[in-house]
Amino acid sequence: MEKYTDRYHPDYIPGTYSIYASSLSNTDNKDVERLKTRNGVILLPQPTDSPNDPLNWHYWRKAWHFLLVTFITAFSAAISNDAGAAQDSLNEIYGISYDAMNTGAGVLFLAIGYGTWLMAPFSSLYGRKLTYIICCLSGLAGCCWFASSKTTADTIWSQLFVGASESVAEAQVQLSLSDLFFRHQLGSVMTVYILATSIGTYLGPLIAGFISSNQNFRWVGWWGAIISGILFVFILFGYEDTMFDYKRFAPTLDGESAHAYYSNQIDEALSNALADEQQGEKGRAVVKIPSEKLKNQPIVRRRALEMLDSNPPTRVYPDNNGADDKQWSYWRRIQIITKGPNLRGWGIKQYFQLLWMNCRVFFFPPVILSGLMWGSQDAFLSFYLTTEDTEFYDAPWNYSDAAVAIMNVPCLIGAVIGCLYAGSALDYFVLWMARRNGGVVEAEFRLYFAFLSGIICPAGLLMFGIGTARQLDWRVIYVGLGFVGFGWGCSGDIAMSYLMDSYPEMVLEGMVGVAVINNTISCIFTFTCSDWLNTSGTEKTYIALAILNFTVMFLALPFIVWGRRMRAFTKKYYVSFIEMRDGI
């Protein structure tokens, strides 16, 4: 079992883990009986017995926090996409150009991506709750500023604060969800997360359009500010920090840390290998290999594994696994700052160290793949929303504001179907694949579901783009939007759950990398969208986008073939990253 749970074990590969207790029943490791399971599925991470462990929270307590963070996700996505409902009024009354509004959208994407990066160290040092409060206040300020806009600068810079408010939904929410739920549940959990993002993204402009038509364009911002204020109160008094120090209850191996124990095994294997090397064989010249290089030789690794198999370590557990902990009081549970176990002083130096260290996540291939998959969907969003605004107000459609806004409904329907496909269905698929694989899960199992999205979403882009250019029947266009929505719903779910499975102890930092890639791509495409459509035409542009989408989603194929090797290669960087983060 150690090779699936101890990152210092010579055979450990991040993203490869045993999920069924029955697969370990024939092992001699007496620690297997200590595993906590549910319906035969091993609970990962293993919960403690502490009543303060979020994994042990009551069902309704988990449900409340799940509801709260998913509402934050949906709401922050909504206010980040509702500015378009006011752009006609801003243009007519104050002469603010549509190009300026596009610039504001670009600033918004940059604020989301790099706001996520700037916020990430707060979660490790001061707890999860502080980031939610900061982002909620940022959204409140941005909505108030946008509601009182009179100049081009107002419309652009207000989006900086609105974008910063959504940064919490790009990584912090996923971290909170991984604190609350077990690994085999993450696919279903991420389904609801992506669904919340989809609801905010597609219904936000629709609701904002009705507000602008029936009240005033300024109420688009004022309603956002009002809800932000109410949400701030709920976070302040209803959100309990999910940070928990599991290190206090981590078992040691034969009384030593895992790092020390496995290092000793490697050193002993190295000594044996050196002795064999010095003896050599008759008739063969002895080749001298430096000891540091010898550590990486297959013979050393084989000897270390033989030693571990013949004499597995004994886990030494604490006297109690948290069972003696007292339930924290209500005021303790809702405090704004929960100090991280490694916080020193004010943590200012640590903050900048973590900020710089998080830049290393771009060396992990699954981060790049996830960022491309999710980022491409955001990029396509800019194109079809722009096309709706520029094409469908004119003949032959002659749509009203409400009719254009309603075009988001088929996208939402497709997104719901995509979420179900890549969420609960994918979780069952992973368990089915694990049974066929001796109870062992490989993170790449989740990528098999990417191929259907890589066919349906490009088909939707072609139907929408060609249908719009050639003025085909509206059913073709709306079904195309539904297919695009399907790609939106399942691509994000697949990408994020794959990354969370690949590097389970690097969820926050991995999602930061995804957010930076995602929103940088979105920003670039937002600035180039109108020019591309004008230069190439609607039909050719969407053909190019369909090819791009197909290519990105089918990048899953080389990862399915070589992904395990990639994860094995990055193991040393992964372990080093976690040691540095927790030791800063």
Side-chain angles (χ1 to χ4, degrees):
M1 182 63 188
E2 285 78 13
K3 70 177 182 179
Y4 298 121
T5 56
D6 282 330
R7 58 179 180 266
Y8 296 107
H9 191 283
D11 237 10
Y12 172 81
I13 298 176
T16 297
Y17 57 94
S18 181
I19 195 68
Y20 284 113
S22 58
S23 65
L24 304 172
S25 59
N26 295 326
T27 65
D28 295 329
N29 193 337
K30 61 185 177 182
D31 295 312
V32 169
E33 63 188 34
R34 289 181 177 269
L35 289 174
K36 297 183 180 181
T37 63
R38 184 176 296 162
N39 299 324
V41 176
I42 299 172
L43 300 180
L44 296 173
Q46 286 281 285
T48 67
D49 294 326
S50 172
N52 302 309
D53 185 346
L55 294 170
N56 293 329
W57 285 2
H58 187 273
Y59 171 82
W60 290 110
R61 191 175 170 193
K62 282 190 178 186
W64 160 249
H65 284 78
F66 187 31
L67 176 64
L68 187 57
V69 297
T70 51
F71 180 81
I72 292 170
T73 300
F75 176 69
S76 61
I79 63 173
S80 295
N81 288 281
D82 63 7
Q87 65 181 9
D88 287 340
S89 299
L90 288 168
N91 178 262
E92 292 173 6
I93 299 172
Y94 298 108
I96 298 172
S97 68
Y98 293 107
D99 287 340
M101 298 295 288
N102 278 339
T103 301
V107 169
L108 179 133
F109 283 124
L110 289 177
I112 295 173
Y114 294 92
T116 304
W117 175 59
L118 292 171
M119 285 288 175
F122 283 96
S123 290
S124 301
L125 298 173
Y126 312 111
R128 324 304 192 214
K129 184 168 184 171
L130 180 62
T131 58
Y132 287 105
I133 289 177
I134 292 172
C135 289
C136 190
L137 292 176
S138 178
L140 177 63
C143 287
C144 288
W145 194 349
F146 183 75
S148 56
S149 292
K150 293 182 180 179
T151 66
T152 298
D154 291 335
T155 59
I156 293 175
W157 296 113
S158 63
Q159 297 307 294
L160 180 70
F161 289 89
V162 173
S165 73
E166 195 188 350
S167 65
V168 74
E170 296 285 314
Q172 309 294 340
V173 169
Q174 293 94 316
L175 179 62
S176 295
L177 294 177
S178 68
D179 288 338
L180 288 168
F181 297 97
F182 298 103
R183 198 180 302 178
H184 70 279
Q185 300 171 324
L186 286 180
S188 300
V189 168
M190 293 307 295
T191 294
V192 183
Y193 166 80
I194 298 295
L195 184 58
T197 304
S198 303
I199 290 172
T201 299
Y202 293 123
L203 288 190
L206 177 61
I207 295 171
F210 282 111
I211 291 172
S212 182
S213 299
N214 297 315
Q215 288 185 293
N216 182 285
F217 79 93
R218 297 195 182 280
W219 276 99
V220 173
W222 290 129
W223 275 115
I226 291 169
I227 298 174
S228 293
I230 296 172
L231 186 58
F232 170 75
V233 174
F234 274 98
I235 294 171
L236 195 61
F237 294 104
Y239 180 82
E240 302 174 38
D241 207 308
T242 55
M243 176 184 279
F244 186 76
D245 184 11
Y246 289 96
K247 287 185 178 180
R248 294 192 298 127
F249 308 104
T252 58
L253 303 182
D254 285 332
E256 295 181 297
S257 69
H259 191 183
Y261 179 84
Y262 290 123
S263 294
N264 291 339
Q265 297 295 309
I266 293 293
D267 288 342
E268 189 172 342
L270 174 62
S271 298
N272 293 337
L274 283 171
D276 289 348
E277 179 201 3
Q278 290 170 356
Q279 292 177 2
E281 296 180 4
K282 291 182 179 180
R284 177 177 67 85
V286 177
V287 179
K288 297 296 182 182
I289 304 176
S291 60
E292 285 304 315
K293 289 187 177 180
L294 190 60
K295 282 186 178 183
N296 297 321
Q297 297 298 310
I299 187 174
V300 177
R301 183 171 177 275
R302 186 173 66 250
R303 285 182 181 275
L305 292 175
E306 288 173 355
M307 293 168 62
L308 290 171
D309 290 339
S310 62
N311 185 28
T314 301
R315 289 178 176 269
V316 180
Y317 290 82
D319 292 337
N320 70 83
N321 197 29
D324 293 343
D325 283 7
K326 293 183 179 179
Q327 174 75 53
W328 290 333
S329 68
Y330 168 73
W331 295 108
R332 165 66 178 82
R333 298 200 304 269
I334 66 164
Q335 65 185 17
I336 294 176
I337 294 177
T338 299
K339 293 182 179 180
N342 61 329
L343 179 65
R344 296 190 299 272
W346 290 93
I348 296 174
K349 181 180 179 181
Q350 291 172 284
Y351 170 83
F352 288 102
Q353 288 175 325
L354 288 169
L355 205 61
W356 174 249
M357 195 185 74
N358 285 346
C359 296
R360 299 187 179 192
V361 298
F362 301 107
F363 293 103
F364 295 92
V367 173
I368 305 298
L369 178 66
S370 298
L372 290 174
M373 282 185 172
W374 193 217
S376 62
Q377 295 303 317
D378 271 356
F380 303 147
L381 177 69
S382 297
F383 278 87
Y384 57 80
L385 289 181
T386 299
T387 302
E388 289 172 8
D389 287 339
T390 56
E391 299 287 343
F392 285 85
Y393 285 105
D394 302 326
W397 292 281
N398 297 315
Y399 279 6
S400 64
D401 288 340
V404 170
I406 289 172
M407 292 182 74
N408 288 321
V409 173
C411 293
L412 179 59
I413 294 172
V416 171
I417 297 172
C419 286
L420 295 175
Y421 163 77
S424 300
L426 182 52
D427 273 351
Y428 284 113
F429 174 78
V430 169
L431 293 176
W432 178 76
M433 287 288 287
R435 284 194 293 269
R436 293 167 56 89
N437 195 40
V440 176
V441 173
E442 301 289 352
E444 286 72 30
F445 289 169
R446 295 192 178 274
L447 294 180
Y448 284 94
F449 272 38
F451 299 126
L452 184 60
S453 174
I455 295 172
I456 289 181
C457 188
L461 289 167
L462 291 173
M463 292 171 70
F464 177 74
I466 297 174
T468 300
R470 300 188 182 185
Q471 300 178 359
L472 300 181
D473 186 84
W474 65 271
R475 296 175 185 84
V476 175
I477 295 170
Y478 280 55
V479 171
L481 286 173
F483 284 1
V484 173
F486 176 87
W488 167 282
C490 65
S491 297
D493 205 334
I494 293 168
M496 293 183 190
S497 58
Y498 169 58
L499 179 56
M500 294 169 81
D501 260 5
S502 296
Y503 302 112
E505 295 183 77
M506 205 176 73
V507 172
L508 174 65
E509 295 82 6
M511 292 303 169
V512 167
V514 171
V516 171
I517 296 171
N518 167 20
N519 289 283
T520 301
I521 292 174
S522 300
C523 177
I524 293 171
F525 275 86
T526 296
F527 284 124
T528 60
C529 173
S530 296
D531 290 337
W532 191 352
L533 285 166
N534 292 333
T535 302
S536 299
T538 301
E539 184 171 326
K540 289 183 179 179
T541 298
Y542 278 90
I543 290 173
L545 293 178
I547 295 171
L548 179 63
N549 185 213
F550 178 87
T551 303
V552 168
M553 296 310 296
F554 272 77
L555 285 175
L557 183 59
F559 276 78
I560 289 173
V561 176
W562 296 294
R564 193 175 191 273
R565 296 181 188 177
M566 294 181 193
R567 290 184 284 111
F569 177 76
T570 58
K571 170 192 170 180
K572 58 184 178 182
Y573 304 108
Y574 173 65
V575 173
S576 174
F577 186 95
I578 295 169
E579 287 179 339
M580 291 178 63
R581 179 196 65 192
D582 295 343
I584 285 178

